[in-house]
Amino acid sequence: MTEFNENGVTVRLSVADWNASAGTLVATFTPDETGFHLYSTTLPPQGVEGVGRPTGVRPTGTVTAAGRLTVDAPVRNITVPGVRSALPVYPDGPVTATLPIRATSAGEAKVLISYASCSSTAGCTIPVADRAVALHTSGDSLTFGSG
């Protein structure tokens, strides 16, 4: 397990059920302050009319996705002054995303983490785009590294 805190959100990463070079990457995004939400994984990469950034978990290198990213929270649509379209967000508070992964070979990998958090009363934090977290695969093990 590893975690980092950047731009108002703590992200905790772990891998569950690792066996025979496959498992589930678990990423929990917890806003530092109450009243903040994260944007849906389905939000376009540049947001809606420039507002928001999608929550994303993307492996690269010797680790690849083996299924779809799922999130444990329902999506709700909100409206923001000055934006014509609704924005898909998760309820305020932490959300956990899971992604089936598999190692394609032994070696170095990264998980690229993206997100933005906002509050309807306190504004938004600066988005995080492709924050790299290092992984290492070796035989039947996967470990988090620095980087």
Side-chain angles (χ1 to χ4, degrees), residues 7 13 24 28 31 40 47 56 64-65 70 74 80 84 90 94 111 130 136-137 141-142:
N7 298 354
L13 297 168
T24 302
T28 301
S40 170
T64 187
T70 59
V80 176
R84 293 182 304 273
Y90 299 113
V111 177
D130 293 337
H136 181 78
T137 59
S141 70
L142 181 145

Side-chain angles (χ1 to χ4, degrees), residues 11-107:
V11 179
R12 175 175 285 171
L13 297 168
S14 62
V15 174
D17 303 321
W18 188 258
N19 185 21
S21 299
T24 302
L25 182 64
V26 179
T28 301
F29 299 81
T30 305
D32 293 344
E33 297 183 40
T34 59
F36 277 77
H37 57 261
L38 291 142
Y39 290 91
S40 170
T41 60
T42 62
L43 191 71
Q46 297 305 313
V48 173
E49 298 175 38
V51 175
R53 293 296 181 268
T55 301
V57 177
R58 187 169 51 96
T60 65
T62 61
V63 174
T64 187
R68 292 184 40 185
L69 181 68
T70 59
V71 178
D72 70 345
V75 173
R76 62 186 178 98
N77 289 313
I78 63 169
T79 56
V80 176
V83 178
R84 293 182 304 273
S85 301
L87 295 164
V89 302
Y90 299 113
D92 291 354
V95 296
T96 299
T98 56
L99 179 67
I101 58 171
R102 66 180 173 83
T104 56
S105 64

Side-chain angles (χ1 to χ4, degrees), residues 1-16:
M1 185 199 67
T2 190
E3 72 178 34
F4 67 90
N5 182 287
E6 189 171 340
N7 298 354
V9 176
T10 297
V11 179
R12 175 175 285 171
L13 297 168
S14 62
V15 174

